[in-house]
Amino acid sequence: YVDDITMDAMYKYNSYILKEEEVEVGDIVFITNDNNKITHGGLVFNITESTVVFINASSFYGKVSLDEWSKNS
């Protein structure tokens, strides 16, 4: 039984890297500003030709928010 788990632990022990074209709605995205530790995560909410939208509990905004990343292609 696990009461709680950090995003860093989830990334290290229960994930693998996907190619951009493999990402699907419902996937978890991991966010970091440090190469040694994952600090945040979100859930992919929508995908378009040019963006990936994910929902997350934003410490920056102090609420649940939708954020958007531009795709590389």
Side-chain angles (χ1 to χ4, degrees), residues 6-32:
T6 65
M7 279 291 156
D8 191 55
M10 189 183 304
Y11 174 77
K12 287 179 181 174
Y13 302 110
N14 194 29
S15 70
Y16 54 92
I17 296 172
L18 298 175
K19 295 178 183 174
E20 184 178 287
E21 62 270 10
E22 296 175 316
V23 175
E24 297 180 355
V25 171
D27 286 345
I28 296 173
V29 292
F30 296 96
I31 304 162
T32 186

Side-chain angles (χ1 to χ4, degrees), residues 21-60:
E21 62 270 10
E22 296 175 316
V23 175
E24 297 180 355
V25 171
D27 286 345
I28 296 173
V29 292
F30 296 96
I31 304 162
T32 186
N33 59 1
D34 176 344
N35 289 332
N36 297 316
K37 185 176 181 182
I38 300 298
T39 57
H40 194 68
L43 186 68
V44 175
F45 181 76
N46 190 29
I47 301 171
T48 69
E49 285 187 31
S50 59
T51 63
V52 174
V53 179
F54 62 98
I55 189 168
N56 69 104
S58 172
S59 57
F60 182 81

